[in-house]
Amino acid sequence: MGDRVEPRDAVPVRHPGRWVAIVVLAVLAAMLVHTVLTNDNFRWDVVGEYVFSGPILNGLKNTLILTVLSMVIGILGGIGLAIMRLSPNPVLSSVAWIYIWVFRGTPLIAQLLFWNFLAALYPFLSLGVPFGPSLVVFDTNQLINQFAACLLGLGLNEAAYMSEIVRGGIQSVDHGQTEAAGALGMSRSQTLRRIVLPQAMRVIVPPTGNETISMLKTTSLVVVIGYFELLTSAQRIYSTNFQTIPLLIVAALWYLALTSILSIGQFYVERYYGRGVATDSSPGRMAAFLTQRSGEGAR
Protein backbone atom coordinates (compact mmCIF):
# COMPACT_ATOMS: atom_id res chain seq x y z
CA MET A 1 0.00 0.00 0.00
CA GLY A 2 1.15 3.54 -0.75
CA ASP A 3 1.78 6.21 1.75
CA ARG A 4 -1.34 7.51 3.40
CA VAL A 5 -2.15 11.13 2.46
CA GLU A 6 -2.89 13.26 5.44
CA PRO A 7 -5.96 15.50 5.07
CA ARG A 8 -5.28 19.20 4.87
CA ASP A 9 -7.41 22.10 5.93
CA ALA A 10 -8.56 24.15 2.94
CA VAL A 11 -7.76 27.81 3.32
CA PRO A 12 -10.26 30.07 1.55
CA VAL A 13 -8.85 32.57 -0.87
CA ARG A 14 -8.84 36.04 0.59
CA HIS A 15 -10.09 38.99 -1.43
CA PRO A 16 -9.00 42.16 0.37
CA GLY A 17 -9.93 44.28 -2.65
CA ARG A 18 -13.59 43.33 -2.24
CA TRP A 19 -13.65 44.49 1.35
CA VAL A 20 -11.97 47.75 0.40
CA ALA A 21 -14.57 48.31 -2.31
CA ILE A 22 -17.41 47.54 0.15
CA VAL A 23 -16.01 50.03 2.66
CA VAL A 24 -15.62 52.75 0.02
CA LEU A 25 -19.16 52.20 -1.29
CA ALA A 26 -20.56 52.21 2.25
CA VAL A 27 -18.86 55.53 3.00
CA LEU A 28 -20.13 57.06 -0.26
CA ALA A 29 -23.66 55.79 0.44
CA ALA A 30 -23.57 57.25 3.94
CA MET A 31 -22.38 60.59 2.56
CA LEU A 32 -25.19 60.59 -0.01
CA VAL A 33 -27.87 59.82 2.58
CA HIS A 34 -26.45 62.47 4.92
CA THR A 35 -26.47 65.23 2.30
CA VAL A 36 -29.96 64.32 1.12
CA LEU A 37 -31.35 64.45 4.64
CA THR A 38 -29.47 67.52 5.90
CA ASN A 39 -29.34 69.81 2.82
CA ASP A 40 -32.28 72.19 3.20
CA ASN A 41 -32.01 73.21 -0.47
CA PHE A 42 -33.71 69.97 -1.49
CA ARG A 43 -36.91 71.44 0.00
CA TRP A 44 -38.63 68.14 0.73
CA ASP A 45 -41.62 70.09 2.03
CA VAL A 46 -42.13 71.51 -1.48
CA VAL A 47 -41.73 68.01 -2.95
CA GLY A 48 -44.45 66.71 -0.65
CA GLU A 49 -46.68 69.66 -1.51
CA TYR A 50 -46.58 69.10 -5.28
CA VAL A 51 -46.10 65.36 -5.71
CA PHE A 52 -49.87 64.78 -5.76
CA SER A 53 -50.93 68.20 -6.98
CA GLY A 54 -53.49 68.59 -9.76
CA PRO A 55 -51.17 69.88 -12.52
CA ILE A 56 -48.62 67.12 -11.85
CA LEU A 57 -51.27 64.38 -11.91
CA ASN A 58 -52.76 65.83 -15.10
CA GLY A 59 -49.35 65.80 -16.74
CA LEU A 60 -48.82 62.25 -15.47
CA LYS A 61 -52.10 61.18 -17.09
CA ASN A 62 -51.03 62.68 -20.42
CA THR A 63 -47.65 60.94 -20.17
CA LEU A 64 -49.33 57.56 -19.65
CA ILE A 65 -51.73 58.14 -22.55
CA LEU A 66 -48.87 59.11 -24.87
CA THR A 67 -46.83 56.08 -23.78
CA VAL A 68 -49.62 53.56 -24.34
CA LEU A 69 -50.86 54.93 -27.67
CA SER A 70 -47.36 55.50 -29.04
CA MET A 71 -46.33 51.96 -28.18
CA VAL A 72 -49.49 50.56 -29.81
CA ILE A 73 -48.66 52.47 -33.00
CA GLY A 74 -45.02 51.41 -32.74
CA ILE A 75 -45.74 47.71 -32.17
CA LEU A 76 -48.35 47.42 -34.91
CA GLY A 77 -46.23 49.43 -37.32
CA GLY A 78 -43.14 47.46 -36.36
CA ILE A 79 -44.84 44.13 -37.09
CA GLY A 80 -45.95 45.38 -40.49
CA LEU A 81 -42.51 46.76 -41.35
CA ALA A 82 -40.78 43.57 -40.20
CA ILE A 83 -43.04 41.46 -42.42
CA MET A 84 -42.29 43.82 -45.31
CA ARG A 85 -38.53 43.61 -44.66
CA LEU A 86 -38.68 39.81 -44.77
CA SER A 87 -40.95 39.73 -47.82
CA PRO A 88 -39.52 38.16 -51.00
CA ASN A 89 -41.06 41.11 -52.85
CA PRO A 90 -38.14 43.55 -53.44
CA VAL A 91 -40.47 46.58 -53.59
CA LEU A 92 -41.98 45.92 -50.15
CA SER A 93 -38.59 45.12 -48.67
CA SER A 94 -37.04 48.30 -50.11
CA VAL A 95 -39.89 50.52 -48.89
CA ALA A 96 -39.55 49.11 -45.37
CA TRP A 97 -35.77 49.59 -45.44
CA ILE A 98 -36.10 53.22 -46.55
CA TYR A 99 -38.69 53.89 -43.82
CA ILE A 100 -36.41 52.44 -41.13
CA TRP A 101 -33.41 54.31 -42.53
CA VAL A 102 -35.22 57.67 -42.42
CA PHE A 103 -36.89 57.37 -39.03
CA ARG A 104 -33.89 55.86 -37.24
CA GLY A 105 -31.45 58.22 -38.92
CA THR A 106 -33.09 61.51 -37.93
CA PRO A 107 -33.49 62.94 -34.40
CA LEU A 108 -36.82 62.37 -32.71
CA ILE A 109 -37.04 66.05 -31.77
CA ALA A 110 -36.76 66.98 -35.46
CA GLN A 111 -39.57 64.52 -36.28
CA LEU A 112 -41.81 65.99 -33.57
CA LEU A 113 -41.20 69.50 -34.90
CA PHE A 114 -41.84 68.33 -38.47
CA TRP A 115 -45.26 66.87 -37.65
CA ASN A 116 -46.19 69.86 -35.50
CA PHE A 117 -45.41 72.31 -38.33
CA LEU A 118 -46.64 70.14 -41.20
CA ALA A 119 -49.19 72.83 -42.08
CA ALA A 120 -46.33 75.05 -43.24
CA LEU A 121 -45.61 72.44 -45.91
CA TYR A 122 -49.17 71.29 -46.62
CA PRO A 123 -51.82 73.78 -45.44
CA PHE A 124 -54.50 71.35 -46.56
CA LEU A 125 -54.55 67.56 -46.79
CA SER A 126 -56.88 65.92 -49.26
CA LEU A 127 -58.18 62.50 -50.18
CA GLY A 128 -59.28 61.75 -53.70
CA VAL A 129 -58.22 60.41 -57.07
CA PRO A 130 -54.43 60.48 -57.59
CA PHE A 131 -53.56 63.36 -59.94
CA GLY A 132 -57.28 64.06 -60.12
CA PRO A 133 -60.01 65.80 -58.13
CA SER A 134 -60.03 65.86 -54.33
CA LEU A 135 -62.99 64.28 -52.62
CA VAL A 136 -62.28 65.33 -49.02
CA VAL A 137 -60.10 68.24 -47.88
CA PHE A 138 -58.84 68.74 -44.31
CA ASP A 139 -57.30 71.75 -42.63
CA THR A 140 -53.89 70.47 -41.54
CA ASN A 141 -53.78 72.62 -38.40
CA GLN A 142 -57.10 71.19 -37.24
CA LEU A 143 -56.33 67.61 -38.28
CA ILE A 144 -52.84 67.42 -36.76
CA ASN A 145 -52.98 69.20 -33.43
CA GLN A 146 -50.33 68.97 -30.73
CA PHE A 147 -51.57 65.62 -29.47
CA ALA A 148 -51.67 64.11 -32.96
CA ALA A 149 -48.19 65.48 -33.69
CA CYS A 150 -46.91 63.83 -30.51
CA LEU A 151 -48.44 60.48 -31.47
CA LEU A 152 -47.12 60.66 -35.03
CA GLY A 153 -43.62 61.63 -33.91
CA LEU A 154 -43.34 59.08 -31.09
CA GLY A 155 -45.31 56.24 -32.70
CA LEU A 156 -43.80 56.31 -36.18
CA ASN A 157 -40.30 56.65 -34.78
CA GLU A 158 -40.89 53.72 -32.43
CA ALA A 159 -42.20 51.59 -35.33
CA ALA A 160 -38.76 51.79 -36.97
CA TYR A 161 -37.07 50.36 -33.87
CA MET A 162 -39.78 47.79 -33.17
CA SER A 163 -39.51 46.50 -36.74
CA GLU A 164 -35.92 45.46 -36.12
CA ILE A 165 -36.88 43.81 -32.84
CA VAL A 166 -39.72 41.87 -34.47
CA ARG A 167 -37.55 40.95 -37.44
CA GLY A 168 -34.89 39.55 -35.12
CA GLY A 169 -37.53 37.56 -33.25
CA ILE A 170 -38.97 36.10 -36.44
CA GLN A 171 -35.54 35.15 -37.74
CA SER A 172 -34.74 33.41 -34.45
CA VAL A 173 -37.37 30.74 -35.21
CA ASP A 174 -35.92 27.79 -37.09
CA HIS A 175 -36.73 28.00 -40.80
CA GLY A 176 -37.53 24.29 -40.84
CA GLN A 177 -40.75 24.97 -38.95
CA THR A 178 -41.90 27.33 -41.69
CA GLU A 179 -41.15 24.67 -44.30
CA ALA A 180 -43.01 22.05 -42.27
CA ALA A 181 -46.04 24.33 -41.94
CA GLY A 182 -46.00 24.91 -45.70
CA ALA A 183 -45.83 21.17 -46.28
CA LEU A 184 -48.98 20.80 -44.15
CA GLY A 185 -50.82 23.22 -46.42
CA MET A 186 -50.71 26.30 -44.18
CA SER A 187 -50.56 29.66 -45.91
CA ARG A 188 -47.78 32.17 -45.26
CA SER A 189 -50.03 34.31 -43.06
CA GLN A 190 -51.25 31.28 -41.09
CA THR A 191 -47.69 30.11 -40.57
CA LEU A 192 -46.65 33.54 -39.35
CA ARG A 193 -49.65 33.92 -37.04
CA ARG A 194 -49.83 30.41 -35.60
CA ILE A 195 -46.27 29.08 -35.75
CA VAL A 196 -43.65 31.81 -36.03
CA LEU A 197 -44.90 34.75 -33.96
CA PRO A 198 -45.85 32.70 -30.83
CA GLN A 199 -42.31 31.31 -30.71
CA ALA A 200 -40.70 34.63 -31.62
CA MET A 201 -42.39 36.32 -28.65
CA ARG A 202 -39.74 34.86 -26.34
CA VAL A 203 -37.17 36.98 -28.19
CA ILE A 204 -39.42 39.97 -28.90
CA VAL A 205 -40.84 40.58 -25.41
CA PRO A 206 -37.67 41.58 -23.46
CA PRO A 207 -36.54 44.37 -25.81
CA THR A 208 -40.17 45.47 -26.23
CA GLY A 209 -40.39 45.91 -22.46
CA ASN A 210 -37.23 47.99 -22.58
CA GLU A 211 -38.68 50.08 -25.42
CA THR A 212 -41.85 50.69 -23.38
CA ILE A 213 -39.83 51.90 -20.40
CA SER A 214 -37.77 54.06 -22.71
CA MET A 215 -40.92 55.46 -24.34
CA LEU A 216 -42.26 56.50 -20.93
CA LYS A 217 -39.22 58.73 -20.50
CA THR A 218 -38.99 59.75 -24.15
CA THR A 219 -42.44 61.37 -23.93
CA SER A 220 -40.71 64.21 -22.07
CA LEU A 221 -39.32 65.35 -25.46
CA VAL A 222 -42.77 66.60 -26.48
CA VAL A 223 -41.97 69.65 -24.38
CA VAL A 224 -40.30 70.93 -27.54
CA ILE A 225 -43.73 71.48 -29.12
CA GLY A 226 -45.35 72.60 -25.85
CA TYR A 227 -47.56 69.61 -25.14
CA PHE A 228 -48.58 69.30 -21.50
CA GLU A 229 -47.09 66.15 -19.95
CA LEU A 230 -45.35 65.33 -16.66
CA LEU A 231 -42.08 67.19 -17.19
CA THR A 232 -43.83 70.11 -18.88
CA SER A 233 -46.16 70.50 -15.91
CA ALA A 234 -43.18 70.52 -13.54
CA GLN A 235 -41.45 73.14 -15.67
CA ARG A 236 -44.50 75.36 -15.73
CA ILE A 237 -44.76 75.22 -11.94
CA TYR A 238 -41.11 75.98 -11.20
CA SER A 239 -41.12 78.79 -13.78
CA THR A 240 -43.53 80.62 -11.45
CA ASN A 241 -42.34 79.62 -7.97
CA PHE A 242 -38.63 79.15 -8.88
CA GLN A 243 -38.42 75.86 -6.95
CA THR A 244 -36.58 74.12 -9.79
CA ILE A 245 -34.87 71.26 -7.96
CA PRO A 246 -37.89 70.20 -5.84
CA LEU A 247 -40.16 70.10 -8.92
CA LEU A 248 -37.59 68.10 -10.89
CA ILE A 249 -37.43 65.68 -7.96
CA VAL A 250 -41.24 65.36 -8.10
CA ALA A 251 -41.06 64.45 -11.81
CA ALA A 252 -38.15 62.06 -11.20
CA LEU A 253 -40.04 60.27 -8.41
CA TRP A 254 -43.02 59.65 -10.69
CA TYR A 255 -40.78 58.41 -13.51
CA LEU A 256 -39.01 56.06 -11.10
CA ALA A 257 -42.31 54.74 -9.75
CA LEU A 258 -43.74 54.10 -13.21
CA THR A 259 -40.57 52.48 -14.58
CA SER A 260 -40.46 50.22 -11.53
CA ILE A 261 -44.05 49.09 -12.17
CA LEU A 262 -43.28 48.48 -15.85
CA SER A 263 -40.14 46.52 -14.94
CA ILE A 264 -42.16 44.22 -12.67
CA GLY A 265 -44.73 43.70 -15.41
CA GLN A 266 -41.97 42.99 -17.92
CA PHE A 267 -40.55 40.32 -15.60
CA TYR A 268 -43.83 38.41 -15.44
CA VAL A 269 -44.50 38.73 -19.18
CA GLU A 270 -41.00 37.43 -19.95
CA ARG A 271 -41.53 34.52 -17.58
CA TYR A 272 -44.85 33.70 -19.24
CA TYR A 273 -43.41 33.59 -22.75
CA GLY A 274 -40.28 31.81 -21.54
CA ARG A 275 -42.18 28.79 -20.24
CA GLY A 276 -40.63 25.52 -21.30
CA VAL A 277 -37.46 27.26 -22.46
CA ALA A 278 -35.78 28.77 -19.44
CA THR A 279 -34.19 26.27 -17.10
CA ASP A 280 -35.52 26.38 -13.58
CA SER A 281 -32.62 25.51 -11.30
CA SER A 282 -34.21 26.42 -7.99
CA PRO A 283 -33.17 24.05 -5.13
CA GLY A 284 -36.75 22.98 -4.39
CA ARG A 285 -37.53 21.89 -7.94
CA MET A 286 -34.15 20.23 -8.32
CA ALA A 287 -34.64 18.24 -5.14
CA ALA A 288 -38.12 17.16 -6.23
CA PHE A 289 -36.75 16.08 -9.60
CA LEU A 290 -33.97 13.99 -8.01
CA THR A 291 -36.42 12.40 -5.58
CA GLN A 292 -38.73 11.47 -8.43
CA ARG A 293 -35.89 9.93 -10.44
CA SER A 294 -34.63 7.91 -7.46
CA GLY A 295 -38.16 6.60 -6.88
CA GLU A 296 -38.43 5.51 -10.50
CA GLY A 297 -35.06 3.72 -10.21
CA ALA A 298 -36.22 1.80 -7.14
CA ARG A 299 -39.28 0.54 -9.03
Side-chain angles (χ1 to χ4, degrees), residues 108-173:
L108 177 56
I109 289 181
Q111 296 174 33
L112 288 168
L113 290 171
F114 175 84
W115 292 113
N116 190 56
F117 296 107
L118 185 64
L121 187 61
Y122 296 104
F124 298 96
L125 298 175
S126 61
L127 295 176
V129 180
F131 309 105
S134 300
L135 301 179
V136 182
V137 179
F138 300 97
D139 185 340
T140 305
N141 279 322
Q142 295 181 358
L143 182 64
I144 303 180
N145 53 23
Q146 279 188 336
F147 180 70
C150 293
L151 288 182
L152 288 172
L154 295 172
L156 297 182
N157 178 269
E158 182 61 32
Y161 290 92
M162 282 302 305
S163 67
E164 295 298 281
I165 293 173
V166 175
R167 184 171 68 93
I170 292 174
Q171 290 180 328
S172 69
V173 180

Side-chain angles (χ1 to χ4, degrees), residues 54-134:
I56 292 293
L57 294 180
N58 189 31
L60 178 65
K61 180 192 68 176
N62 292 339
T63 293
L64 292 174
I65 292 174
L66 278 180
T67 301
V68 172
L69 295 182
S70 299
M71 284 306 301
V72 169
I73 295 172
I75 291 172
L76 295 178
I79 294 174
L81 287 169
I83 295 173
M84 292 172 64
R85 274 296 298 275
L86 297 173
S87 172
N89 188 323
V91 176
L92 293 178
S93 179
S94 299
V95 169
W97 184 88
I98 292 173
Y99 179 99
I100 295 168
W101 172 64
V102 171
F103 281 87
R104 290 203 309 174
T106 54
L108 177 56
I109 289 181
Q111 296 174 33
L112 288 168
L113 290 171
F114 175 84
W115 292 113
N116 190 56
F117 296 107
L118 185 64
L121 187 61
Y122 296 104
F124 298 96
L125 298 175
S126 61
L127 295 176
V129 180
F131 309 105
S134 300

Side-chain angles (χ1 to χ4, degrees), residues 216-237:
L216 175 70
K217 296 174 290 184
T218 304
T219 55
S220 62
L221 293 180
V222 301
V223 66
V224 72
I225 60 176
Y227 186 72
F228 190 81
E229 47 77 56
L230 178 57
L231 188 60
T232 309
S233 63
Q235 288 179 330
R236 290 184 181 181
I237 295 174

